[in-house]
């Protein structure tokens, strides 16, 4: 173990030892000692015993198990206490340290080749879970007001209980506005790029302008689009079209210039026509750029549609729900809506990334397995 | 004299811009035409000539699409024509937005650089943080901008900080990704050389990794500063009657003041352009001081 890992291990073990002597939580206005929580006590014992690693060898798997056990007993004990006391926080920090130690040792193992590479996904998974556990423990144990930050469990309950509302919002915003606008905007950007491809003059004129416009806060056109196209999804789709058009235009233009002089010469020696060169050489060479735009646009489209709904909408839609529920300070519903948006955004991005891998399988970034 | 103009970028950009302005005029005539005739019919104006109609179409009070000269006029009136401290001055609103943007941008850049340094120096950090940082950007985070502002307001934090927070969130990502790439860009042979000098980790960082990463940093900062401006504008939306370009947009859309919306948009565009220009200027200065040829 490195010095840093030893420090982590020592810290985790000592915190477990310390927690044994501290009040664990407040139950019915009285501090309750650790002895009333047998599961926590067992975890702390195991944590203290883990200090034996300075004499014996202890596998990193043990650290992983300790981290998971810590998370489980913490979550289990949350229902039994009203408010957390110092002992609770010690257990939380010790659990975090065990998880960190596990991640450190696993990463070192993978780097040295002693641990199979496939185990690598455990580290980000552990990190994500750890964030959720800390979030839950701090909000419920620390008595954070729901308005400031609701607990993940509360958000989950809200999500489960309002599926029909969320589904209607999702349908209105994502299926109608985002997808329509995304397809139209990307197709238009692509078509314009192809159309001006034969004129170097127009390309030189449009590329800097397109680059500049992509950097502008285009989202600001939302009120204008609402004025032109009405409150329903058409105006949101229009915002999405404008926002997705420029990244697609700029990326396609740069992509069409990406094929090498040599390959183009080869096509010329084959006496291939403009369209043959375009279809067989330049478009495939432009694919990484085009997919880059598709991925950027997948996030932009969702943002555009949601923000456009802040400027006026029928009484359904993700942006409408967020702004109206926040007005009622119903924060859990807002977070549930955000969870849906996050899921939709990640899935949309993920689909584009998978498509990219399938289409540009020849590209070095895909072949080496790190896209 | 003419050849470099035609083969360079200046002339094409100018001509394309001119074409866009002409298209804009045609579009606003097309969109406002019918409404003007309706107004004539409603107010019993008879015997109007085509030139009168054209003049009125180009100078409507609340047009569907204002003409460029209307926007420019409104922009002029609300910047030069107003005292800077006036609530009607775009300079005042622009400054409110700009201060939140800059604060958020500085925090975002610093945060992004520190994260990148951690990620480059620790395999565990790389594995645990990187996937989540990328995932964090597929989340339409702007959607929670109003909530962050309202919630922070409820606990007594208002003004600059909530807006700057949104800007920070939006601008840290390009910096992390760019800097991780940049700090990793020294080649093995260069790192080996530092190793033979028995350079410490810090020396390797300061004398090799950091200078190599600077071009990446500036590219990311240009993206980050634009994102930061978007964040500040959207964060101003829930502050309905407040100040800032976002509030100006919202007020304009409530009262149908299209000219006001467009001039706020133009201000935002100018701000974005100026911010990117500033970053480029700093980039050029840094390159010069590091010995790059001009």
């Amino acid at each position: 173990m490195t010095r840093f890992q030893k420090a982590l291990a020592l810290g985790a073990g000592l915190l477990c030892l310390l927690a044994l002597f501290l009040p664990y939580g407040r139950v019915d206005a009285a501090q309750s000692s650790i002895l009333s929580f047998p599961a926590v006590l067992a975890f702390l014992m195991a944590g203290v015993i883990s200090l034996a690693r300075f004499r014996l060898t202890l596998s990193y798997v043990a650290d992983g198990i300790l981290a998971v056990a810590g998370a489980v007993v913490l979550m289990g004990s949350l229902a039994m206490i009203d408010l957390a006391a110092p002992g609770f926080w010690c257990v939380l920090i010790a659990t975090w340290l065990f998880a960190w130690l596990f991640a450190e040792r696993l990463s070192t193992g993978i780097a040295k080749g002693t641990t199979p590479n496939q185990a690598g996904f455990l580290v980000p998974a552990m990190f994500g879970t750890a964030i959720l556990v800390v979030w839950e423990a701090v909000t419920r144990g620390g008595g954070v007001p729901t308005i400031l930050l609701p607990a993940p469990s509360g958000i989950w309950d809200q999500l489960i209980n309002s599926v029909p509302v969320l589904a209607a919002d999702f349908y209105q915003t994502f299926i109608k506005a985002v997808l329509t606008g995304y397809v139209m905007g990307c197709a238009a950007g692509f078509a314009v790029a192809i159309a001006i491809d034969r004129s170097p003059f127009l390309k030189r004129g449009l590329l800097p302008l397109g680059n500049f416009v992509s950097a502008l806060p285009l989202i600001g056109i939302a009120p204008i689009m609402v004025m032109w196209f009405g409150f329903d999804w058409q105006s949101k789709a229009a915002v999405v079209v404008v926002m997705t058009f420029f990244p697609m235009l700029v990326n396609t233009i740069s992509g069409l210039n990406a094929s090498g002089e040599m390959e183009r010469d080869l096509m010329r020696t084959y006496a291939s026509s403009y369209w043959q060169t375009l279809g067989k050489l330049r478009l495939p060479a432009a694919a990484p750029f085009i997919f880059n735009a598709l991925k950027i646009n997948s996030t932009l489209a969702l943002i555009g549609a949601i923000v456009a709904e802040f400027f006026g909408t029928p009484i359904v839609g993700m942006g409408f729900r967020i702004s109206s529920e926040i007005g009622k300070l119903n924060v859990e519903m807002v977070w549930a809506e955000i969870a849906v948006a996050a899921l939709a955004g990640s899935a949309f991005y993920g689909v584009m990334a998978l498509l990219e891998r399938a289409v540009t399988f020849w590209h070095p970034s895909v072949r080496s397995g790190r896209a | 004299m003419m050849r470099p103009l035609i083969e360079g970028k200046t002339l094409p950009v100018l001509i394309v811009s001119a074409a866009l302005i002409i298209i804009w005029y045609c579009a606003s005539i097309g969109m406002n035409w019918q409404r003007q005739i309706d107004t004539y019919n409603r107010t019993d104006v008879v015997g109007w000539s085509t030139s009168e109609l054209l003049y009125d179409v180009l100078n409507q009070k609340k047009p569907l699409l204002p003409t460029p000269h209307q926007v420019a006029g409104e922009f002029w009136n609300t910047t030069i024509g107003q005292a800077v401290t006036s609530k009607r001055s775009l300079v005042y609103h622009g400054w409110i937005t700009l201060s939140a943007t800059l604060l958020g941008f500085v925090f975002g850049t610093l945060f992004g650089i520190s994260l990148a340094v951690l990620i480059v120096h620790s395999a565990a950090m790389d594995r645990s943080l990187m996937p989540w940082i990328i995932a964090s950007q597929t989340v339409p985070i702007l959607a929670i901008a109003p909530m962050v502002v309202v919630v922070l307001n409820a606990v007594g934090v208002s003004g600059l900080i909530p807006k700057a927070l949104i800007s920070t969130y939006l601008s840290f990502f390009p910096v992390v990704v760019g800097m991780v790439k940049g700090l990793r860009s020294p080649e093995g042979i260069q790192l080996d050389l530092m190793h033979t000098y028995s350079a410490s980790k810090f020396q390797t960082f300061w004398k090799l990794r950091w200078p190599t990463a600077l071009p990446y940093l500036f590219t990311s900062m240009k993206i980050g500063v634009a994102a930061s401006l978007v964040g500040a504008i959207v964060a101003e939306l829930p502050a309905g009657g407040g100040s800032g370009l976002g509030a100006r947009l919202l007020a304009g859309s409530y009262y149908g003041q299209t000219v006001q919306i467009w001039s706020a948009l133009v201000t935002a565009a100018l701000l974005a352009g100026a911010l990117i220009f500033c970053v480029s200027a700093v980039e050029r200065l840094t390159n010069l001081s590091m010995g790059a040829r001009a």
Side-chain angles (χ1 to χ4, degrees):
Chain A
M1 289 206 296
T2 63
R3 203 186 303 163
F4 180 60
Q5 289 172 357
K6 278 183 186 154
L8 283 177
L10 190 66
L14 289 182
L15 271 173
C16 287
L17 191 61
L18 181 65
L20 284 174
F21 305 102
L22 290 173
Y24 186 72
R26 196 181 275 272
V27 182
D28 300 330
Q31 295 288 17
S32 170
S33 93
I34 197 79
L35 296 171
S36 344
F37 305 93
V40 182
L41 195 62
F43 165 72
L44 289 179
M45 292 300 190
V48 174
I49 291 171
S50 82
L51 280 173
R53 77 172 87 225
F54 290 102
R55 284 277 165 267
L56 314 157
T57 47
L58 195 62
S59 159
Y60 66 93
V61 179
D63 290 318
I65 293 173
L66 272 171
V68 173
V72 170
V73 299
L74 274 171
M75 292 299 103
S77 69
L78 263 178
M80 292 185 270
I81 58 173
D82 300 328
L83 209 59
F88 182 85
W89 301 122
C90 282
V91 177
L92 183 62
I93 299 172
T95 308
W96 178 269
L97 290 182
F98 277 126
W100 193 348
L101 185 60
F102 172 72
E104 281 283 344
R105 292 182 71 184
L106 188 64
S107 313
T108 322
I110 292 175
K112 275 187 195 152
T114 50
T115 314
N117 220 346
Q118 285 82 352
F121 82 94
L122 278 176
V123 180
M126 196 102 179
F127 185 76
T129 320
I131 293 287
L132 278 181
V133 168
V134 171
W135 181 355
E136 180 85 21
V138 169
T139 44
R140 282 175 66 188
V144 176
T146 315
I147 289 185
L148 198 58
L149 188 67
S153 55
I155 299 170
W156 178 250
D157 288 344
Q158 183 75 46
L159 193 83
I160 295 302
N161 288 329
S162 39
V163 168
V165 179
L166 292 172
D169 291 343
F170 176 79
Y171 182 72
Q172 167 80 12
T173 305
F174 193 83
I175 307 287
K176 283 187 182 168
V178 172
L179 284 187
T180 319
Y182 181 81
V183 170
M184 284 168 64
C186 290
F190 183 74
V192 171
I194 299 278
I196 65 165
D197 176 53
R198 285 181 131 166
S199 156
F201 185 81
L202 274 180
K203 265 200 284 188
R204 278 206 306 272
L206 269 177
L207 198 57
L209 278 182
N211 265 324
F212 177 66
V213 175
S214 309
L216 294 184
L218 273 184
I219 196 102
I221 62 157
I224 297 163
M225 292 300 156
V226 171
M227 219 170 273
W228 287 0
F229 295 100
F231 279 166
D232 210 351
W233 62 270
Q234 288 87 347
S235 58
K236 282 79 205 173
V239 175
V240 176
V241 168
V242 176
M243 286 183 74
T244 52
F245 175 80
F246 290 99
M248 192 62 178
L249 175 72
V250 171
N251 274 290
T252 311
I253 293 181
S254 341
L256 287 176
N257 292 335
S259 58
E261 205 50 50
M262 218 139 52
E263 288 99 336
R264 277 189 236 188
D265 274 347
L266 181 67
M267 293 306 277
R268 213 165 298 137
T269 59
Y270 290 158
S272 60
S273 70
Y274 168 80
W275 291 107
Q276 281 172 325
T277 316
L278 189 69
K280 297 193 170 161
L281 167 66
R282 297 177 61 214
L283 275 183
F289 290 82
I290 295 172
F291 274 104
N292 188 27
L294 284 175
K295 284 196 288 189
I296 296 174
N297 281 345
S298 69
T299 325
L300 276 182
L302 204 50
I303 289 177
I306 291 179
V307 173
E309 286 182 356
F310 297 156
F311 286 97
T313 147
I315 50 160
V316 63
M318 296 162 104
F320 164 78
R321 196 71 57 204
I322 289 174
S323 53
S324 71
E325 295 295 327
I326 193 65
K328 300 182 216 157
L329 286 182
N330 189 1
V331 185
E332 281 177 352
M333 185 64 187
V334 178
W335 277 95
E337 197 76 55
I338 289 167
V340 173
L343 212 65
S346 313
F348 198 6
Y349 187 94
V351 167
M352 285 304 143
L354 282 181
L355 242 137
E356 179 182 22
R357 290 184 78 92
V359 174
T360 63
F361 55 89
W362 46 268
H363 197 263
S365 70
V366 177
R367 272 187 312 187
S368 66
R370 283 188 75 133
Chain B
M1 165 85 197
M2 283 307 280
R3 273 189 77 87
L5 265 186
I6 293 172
E7 286 178 0
K9 280 180 182 164
T10 325
L11 193 66
V13 169
L14 284 179
I15 289 184
V16 170
S17 312
L20 286 180
I21 288 182
I22 292 171
I23 293 174
W24 185 348
Y25 264 112
C26 296
S28 53
I29 291 174
M31 290 181 74
N32 303 333
W33 189 264
Q34 194 54 46
R35 289 180 93 191
Q36 191 61 40
I37 293 179
D38 289 348
T39 317
Y40 281 157
N41 290 340
R42 212 168 42 242
T43 50
D44 296 326
V45 179
V46 280
W48 38 267
S49 68
T50 315
S51 60
E52 270 175 4
L53 174 66
L54 195 61
Y55 177 81
D56 284 339
V57 163
L58 291 180
N59 294 290
Q60 271 180 355
K61 256 222 156 84
K62 289 185 179 180
L64 263 180
L65 176 61
T67 54
H69 72 260
Q70 281 180 307
V71 177
E74 166 84 5
F75 181 72
W76 180 265
N77 287 338
T78 46
T79 47
I80 313 292
Q82 295 281 341
V84 175
T85 47
S86 158
K87 277 249 174 192
R88 301 186 52 171
S89 164
L90 273 180
V91 179
Y92 167 79
H93 291 288
W95 168 247
I96 302 269
T97 305
L98 183 65
S99 51
T101 306
L102 286 180
L103 190 65
F105 173 60
V106 169
F107 278 136
T109 308
L110 292 180
F111 182 54
I113 293 176
S114 1
L115 267 186
V117 171
L118 284 180
I119 286 174
V120 167
H121 286 102
S122 156
M125 283 283 188
D126 180 21
R127 279 182 187 280
S128 41
L129 285 182
M130 220 38 200
W132 292 105
I133 289 177
I134 291 172
S136 80
Q137 292 306 302
T138 63
V139 176
I141 195 66
L142 271 182
I144 71 162
M147 188 186 67
V148 172
V149 174
V150 171
V151 163
L152 286 182
N153 241 327
V155 293
V157 182
S158 60
L160 210 56
I161 306 292
K163 293 193 266 174
L165 263 181
I166 308 284
S167 293
T168 305
Y169 189 95
L170 285 182
S171 58
F172 93 94
F173 172 72
V175 176
V176 177
V177 174
M179 277 306 270
V180 166
K181 215 175 192 175
L183 290 173
R184 287 212 176 118
S185 62
E187 286 172 31
I189 196 167
Q190 295 165 323
L191 288 170
D192 282 346
L193 181 68
M194 293 307 275
H195 200 65
T196 58
Y197 289 158
S198 132
S200 68
K201 254 193 168 168
F202 178 76
Q203 282 170 324
T204 312
F205 173 77
W206 190 242
K207 302 200 162 153
L208 175 62
R209 286 188 191 270
W210 178 255
T212 339
L214 275 182
Y216 292 84
L217 176 65
F218 282 112
T219 312
S220 323
M221 275 166 73
K222 281 182 222 163
I223 303 172
V225 80
S228 185
L229 181 63
V230 175
I233 291 179
V234 174
E236 280 161 358
L237 290 182
S243 34
L245 292 177
R248 216 46 199 164
L249 281 178
L250 197 67
S253 92
Y254 279 162
Y255 303 115
Q257 298 284 0
T258 37
V259 186
Q260 181 187 327
I261 299 181
W262 280 91
S263 60
L265 274 181
V266 169
T267 317
L270 288 179
L271 269 185
L275 286 171
I276 296 173
F277 177 80
C278 288
V279 176
S280 312
V282 175
E283 177 180 22
R284 207 160 305 147
L285 284 179
T286 316
N287 282 346
L288 280 180
S289 73
M290 283 171 61
R293 261 168 286 165

